[in-house]
Amino acid sequence: MRWDGISEFVYVAEYESFTRAAKELGISTAQVSRQISALEKRLNIKLLYRTTRKVSLTEEGRVFYQHCRGVLDGLDVAEQAVSNLQSKPQGRIKLTAPVTYGEQQLLPLVNDFMVKYNDIEVTAFLSNQKIDLVDGGYDLAIRIGKLNDSTMMAKKLSHRTNFVCAAPAYLKKHGTPHSLSELSQHNCLLGTRDYWHFIDSDKDADKEKNMRVFGTVQYNSGHSLVDAALKGLGIVQLPDYYVQKYLASGALVSLLDNYREPEESIWAIYPHNRHLSPKIRLLVDYLAERLA
């Protein structure tokens, strides 16, 4: 009986919602409410403030939550210790990643991982939108660049570099820019944003700079932008995994290298309030080893 209501209380405290806690636990909202009311009665302590719009912890509730969270984490560790005795990881992994990076870099490695561990199942949703991992029930997300969400745990997997480049035919016809100011004289092939990232090395100290650029093309497809650049339509700025092979072959020429922005980190992130299961940890370590 001492365990009754503990899980329900912890989930409500973390999600700040009876409805979301009930969904995560797979029970009804009414059952969550009954269990927590019974727990408060048993302890003779008010643990939660409830309004029609918000649920929050009382001072006593915050203290009780910290202890209960530790207890549940201990149970997770015990269950995972038993799970680790299995010869192979198993179960479903649900993940999300940016579209092109997912297609070209991530999912081929996930496929290799599944060949190695054939009791693993994977559901992947590729999107360039930031998806709420908790609401979507995701175990893992791949994010590129600066991380703003402090509620997530993160592990760095790799990095990417953005290149400004153009076809030799375009440069022969229109000239080669050697400074950022010269970009205004060129046709810049745009993606979803109308500005490019640089380091302004003309200053006394290097400073990150977003520079507005203009051109006759704007696509939300990196592959289509590469094709336009290869056909001499203009200058493009794209991550390395779009253009590396063309730079190596000479089909594209790298430009303005002195102004290239620093590498962007690529991260695996997962919800802070979920203990990382063995299969997820194994996949994250597998990706980090091969993407480094």
Side-chain angles (χ1 to χ4, degrees), residues 252-280:
L252 292 175
V253 177
S254 180
L255 307 171
L256 301 171
D257 292 345
N258 290 338
Y259 300 93
R260 187 181 301 147
E261 64 177 338
E263 296 172 341
E264 290 183 300
S265 296
I266 298 172
W267 306 88
I269 69 168
Y270 53 93
H272 190 280
N273 60 357
R274 291 183 187 173
H275 199 82
L276 197 59
S277 67
K279 65 178 182 286
I280 305 299

Side-chain angles (χ1 to χ4, degrees), residues 178-199:
H178 297 288
S179 66
L180 298 185
S181 61
E182 291 178 60
L183 284 176
S184 63
Q185 304 166 26
H186 289 270
N187 193 43
C188 297
L189 310 175
L190 303 178
T192 55
R193 300 176 299 200
D194 59 0
Y195 59 88
W196 288 352
H197 297 294
F198 294 100
I199 289 292

Side-chain angles (χ1 to χ4, degrees), residues 6-17 21 24-25 72:
I6 298 296
S7 294
E8 290 85 349
F9 165 68
V10 167
Y11 275 71
V12 169
E14 291 176 345
Y15 292 108
E16 297 182 344
S17 166
E24 187 71 18
L25 289 166
L72 292 184

Side-chain angles (χ1 to χ4, degrees), residues 87-105:
S87 59
K88 293 182 179 180
Q90 57 184 308
R92 180 168 294 278
I93 298 172
K94 187 176 182 182
L95 62 87
T96 181
V99 176
T100 301
Y101 188 81
E103 289 177 341
Q104 293 192 7
Q105 306 291 315

Side-chain angles (χ1 to χ4, degrees), residues 32-291:
V32 171
S33 181
R34 283 195 300 271
Q35 289 285 65
I36 293 178
S37 294
L39 177 63
E40 289 179 318
K41 184 176 180 180
R42 191 166 73 248
L43 297 172
N44 196 27
I45 293 173
K46 185 176 182 63
L47 299 171
L48 299 167
Y49 294 119
R50 304 166 175 85
T51 69
T52 56
R53 300 181 63 183
K54 187 178 180 181
V55 178
S56 59
L57 290 167
T58 64
E59 183 177 353
E60 295 83 358
R62 283 194 294 271
V63 173
F64 193 60
Y65 164 77
Q66 294 297 331
H67 289 280
C68 290
R69 179 72 268 176
V71 169
L72 292 184
D73 284 344
L75 285 174
D76 286 342
V77 171
E79 290 179 3
Q80 288 163 25
V82 174
S83 177
N84 285 339
L85 296 176
Q86 297 175 348
S87 59
K88 293 182 179 180
Q90 57 184 308
R92 180 168 294 278
I93 298 172
K94 187 176 182 182
L95 62 87
T96 181
V99 176
T100 301
Y101 188 81
E103 289 177 341
Q104 293 192 7
Q105 306 291 315
L106 180 72
L107 292 186
L109 290 177
V110 171
N111 292 337
D112 292 341
F113 181 79
M114 294 177 68
V115 169
K116 184 174 182 180
Y117 303 104
N118 52 27
D119 289 329
I120 291 289
E121 301 175 11
V122 175
T123 297
F125 179 69
L126 301 183
S127 172
N128 293 330
Q129 303 299 317
K130 294 291 180 66
I131 294 174
D132 188 307
L133 301 194
V134 175
D135 276 349
Y138 287 91
D139 300 297
L140 187 66
I142 306 302
R143 297 273 166 86
I144 299 174
K146 295 178 181 178
L147 298 179
N148 299 318
D149 195 338
S150 61
T151 65
M152 297 289 162
M153 298 295 287
K155 179 181 175 70
K156 184 177 177 180
L157 299 178
S158 184
H159 59 265
R160 75 172 186 182
T161 303
N162 284 323
F163 285 87
V164 174
C165 48
Y170 174 88
L171 299 176
K172 183 177 180 179
K173 183 176 181 180
H174 299 281
T176 300
H178 297 288
S179 66
L180 298 185
S181 61
E182 291 178 60
L183 284 176
S184 63
Q185 304 166 26
H186 289 270
N187 193 43
C188 297
L189 310 175
L190 303 178
T192 55
R193 300 176 299 200
D194 59 0
Y195 59 88
W196 288 352
H197 297 294
F198 294 100
I199 289 292
D200 191 350
S201 57
D202 289 339
K203 306 294 183 181
D204 292 335
D206 288 350
K207 183 178 179 181
E208 292 185 23
K209 180 176 183 178
N210 292 333
M211 184 171 180
R212 188 88 182 270
V213 292
F214 303 90
T216 57
V217 163
Q218 185 162 19
Y219 299 150
N220 68 341
S221 164
H223 293 296
S224 299
L225 289 171
V226 170
D227 184 69
L230 290 168
K231 292 174 178 175
L233 291 180
I235 299 174
V236 73
Q237 185 183 61
L238 284 170
D240 45 19
Y241 45 82
Y242 283 103
V243 298
Q244 274 175 329
K245 64 180 180 180
Y246 302 114
L247 291 172
S249 70
L252 292 175
V253 177
S254 180
L255 307 171
L256 301 171
D257 292 345
N258 290 338
Y259 300 93
R260 187 181 301 147
E261 64 177 338
E263 296 172 341
E264 290 183 300
S265 296
I266 298 172
W267 306 88
I269 69 168
Y270 53 93
H272 190 280
N273 60 357
R274 291 183 187 173
H275 199 82
L276 197 59
S277 67
K279 65 178 182 286
I280 305 299
R281 185 179 301 280
L282 194 63
L283 175 58
V284 169
D285 290 345
Y286 184 91
L287 295 173
E289 180 181 346
R290 284 153 181 81
L291 289 170

